[in-house]
């Protein structure tokens, strides 16, 4: 290996392998606002709250929230939505690199960690879906592998514990942990994990992340130029002025794209028929380092300036010093088709060429290709609503499971039977397990006495699963307040899904007679009891029940 190559690889290790504050994708509040929009756009998420007896305003593990200074001044109120937003922001947590900082590379505003998470947020969709690759060396896992827990996941602090697989673990614990405090902690981790996963998906709506373009913003020859697109979008998220401009940036366009539906998590990133978010972003838009005329060696969009319609676009904006900058640029327009909806979007300015620099602030001596805020606005009008829509779609997919059940009195006075139906669009799979827990008034949950139900065959949509007979909790001091049914196992094409359903304790009013030995009289007695949702009570009857009492129970 030549000395020059060794030096280059050393610099890559120093610079590329540690993200600066200018090297992450969509920045902190941008991710927060996209995630907020996705939370409210997801229909199945709303259904899940109802299914598991939660409210959007409920708070979970408030003592663990991150300080507002490290969340771009976002205040996490410990609700499920806010935990998801915190996760979306903190997916850019980074590992400290003192040498890089000594060279002038500013660290991100996130809390430091033992993982360089931003390096795992690239998905080179036109080169087989590889991760971040510089000088032929791959420096991060492909984004879907990281988010879905296929690579980089583990129990060590240097490994990912906030993937889809981890979210399923936390989801099961949020349903079945005995103590309410532990369930609340798991609920917080469930929604934080989903926020971190959504961040990784949202990043591929930024073309640089779908076109393998590092943009650390320091020592640019190796680590790439600072992403002015991301900075401009963050200014729009915060309502700030961009660079020298005198007026606040316009608000972000976030709504208007319906959540797509897919049969796998991977499909939200890319599919064979190009319906993934990385497909739309990486194949239809240029980025600063993969623009015309060379396009970074990528074939899409078409790398030929003559293939585009040219349009002279005028611009004018005020500056912070009270002046005005005005001029024209030549825009290169193309028609983009959305592979999900089939819609055609005409006259999208995907590149520009002029004497103006990329900030539209100064003129040079010769025209050149660049991306400027005119392009950024056109890009964000299409990419950000899709980032929201695809994020909401992934939430819908995660929470697609749905169960219904009821509890009926058994023939024996101490027994009850669970009768249930799979209401999910996908079948519950062979080997999946259903467990039933009960909760007392103090919030403590315990499994019922009885066997777990392991499915011996798939259970399709609207089909009943086998009945489960169990012993009814009989402690009169702790009557059951509600019951929790938890399923873990295959759901459609997902191997380790979790589905939950919480119901209030039914009015299983049942009168029964049992034999008890009276230690005082040394005789057997046969009292009658009434079992209700509130407890078990002794009835003042002997031998048989009065007919009117029986009718009242019925």
């Amino acid at each position: 290996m030549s000395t020059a190559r060794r030096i280059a690889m050393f610099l890559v290790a120093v610079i590329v392998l540690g993200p600066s504050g200018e090297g992450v994708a969509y920045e902190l509040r941008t991710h927060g606002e996209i995630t907020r929009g996705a939370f409210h756009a997801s229909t199945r998420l709303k259904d899940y709250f109802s299914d598991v007896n939660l409210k959007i305003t409920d708070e979970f593990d408030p003592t663990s929230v991150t300080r507002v200074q490290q969340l771009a001044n976002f205040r996490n109120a410990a609700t499920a939505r806010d935990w998801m937003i915190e996760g979306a922001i903190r997916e850019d947590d980074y590992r400290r690199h003192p040498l890089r900082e000594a060279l002038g590379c500013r660290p991100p505003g996130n809390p430091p960690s033992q993982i360089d998470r931003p390096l795992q947020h690239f998905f080179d969709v036109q080169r087989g879906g590889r991760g971040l690759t510089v000088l032929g060396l791959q420096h991060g896992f492909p984004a879907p592998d990281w988010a879905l827990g296929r690579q980089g996941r583990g129990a060590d602090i240097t490994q990912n514990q906030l993937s889809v697989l981890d979210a399923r673990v936390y989801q099961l614990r949020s349903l079945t942990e005995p103590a309410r405090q532990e369930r609340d902690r798991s609920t917080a981790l469930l929604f934080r994990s989903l926020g971190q996963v959504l961040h990784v998906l949202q990043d591929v709506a930024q073309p640089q992340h779908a076109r393998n373009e590092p943009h650390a913003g320091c020592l640019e020859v190796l680590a790439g130029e600072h992403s002015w697109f991301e900075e401009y979008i963050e200014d729009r998220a915060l309502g700030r002025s961009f660079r020298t401009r005198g007026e606040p940036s316009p608000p972000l366009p976030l709504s208007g794209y319906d959540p797509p539906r897919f049969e796998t998590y991977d499909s939200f990133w890319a599919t064979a028929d190009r319906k993934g978010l990385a497909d739309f972003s990486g194949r239809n838009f240029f980025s600063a380092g993969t623009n015309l005329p060379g396009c970074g060696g990528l074939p899409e969009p078409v790398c030929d300036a003559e293939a585009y319609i040219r349009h002279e676009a005028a611009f004018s904006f005020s500056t912070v010093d009270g002046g005005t900058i005005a001029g024209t640029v030549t825009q290169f327009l193309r028609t983009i088709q959305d592979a999900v909806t089939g819609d055609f979007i005409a006259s999208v300015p995907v590149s520009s060429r002029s004497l103006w620099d990329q900030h539209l602030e100064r003129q040079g001596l010769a025209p050149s290709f660049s991306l400027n805020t005119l392009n950024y606005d056109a890009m964000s009008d299409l990419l950000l609503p899709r980032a929201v829509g695809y994020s909401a779609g992934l939430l819908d997919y995660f929470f697609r499971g749905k169960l219904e059940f009821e509890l009926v009195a058994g023939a024996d006075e101490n027994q009850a039977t669970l009768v249930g139906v799979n209401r999910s669009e996908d079948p519950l799979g062979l080997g999946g397990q259903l467990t039933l827990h009960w909760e007392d008034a103090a919030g403590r949950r315990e499994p019922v006495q009885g066997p777990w139900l392991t499915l011996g065959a798939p259970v399709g949509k609207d089909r009943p699963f086998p009945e489960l007979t169990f012993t009814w909790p009989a402690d009169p001091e702790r009557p059951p307040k509600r019951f929790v049914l938890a399923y873990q196992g295959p759901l459609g094409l997902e191997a380790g899904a979790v589905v939950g359903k919480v119901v209030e304790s039914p009015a299983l009013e049942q009168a029964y007679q049992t034999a008890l030995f009276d230690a005082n009289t040394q005789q057997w007695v046969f009292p009658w009891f009434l079992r209700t949702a509130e407890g078990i009570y002794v009835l003042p009857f002997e031998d048989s029940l009065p007919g009117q009492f029986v009718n009242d129970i019925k």
Side-chain angles (χ1 to χ4, degrees), residues 286 292-293 295 302-310 330-334 351 353 369:
F286 297 113
L292 294 167
C295 310
V302 176
C303 193
D304 180 2
E306 299 304 317
Y308 296 85
I309 298 173
R310 303 189 186 199
T330 302
Q331 294 183 328
F332 289 73
L333 313 181
R334 68 183 300 259
S351 187
R353 190 169 188 266
F369 285 96

Side-chain angles (χ1 to χ4, degrees), residues 222-239:
L222 290 174
E225 183 182 4
H226 167 61
S227 179
W228 296 106
F229 173 57
E230 291 172 4
E231 180 171 321
Y232 177 62
I233 297 302
E234 184 76 352
D235 285 343
R236 292 183 65 176
L238 294 170

Side-chain angles (χ1 to χ4, degrees), residues 218 304 341 421 537:
C218 58
D304 180 2
T341 66
V421 177
Y537 306 94

Side-chain angles (χ1 to χ4, degrees), residues 8 42 61 63 67 129 286 298 315:
S42 170
D61 198 17
T63 60
R67 295 184 300 117
F286 297 113
L298 294 172
F315 67 89

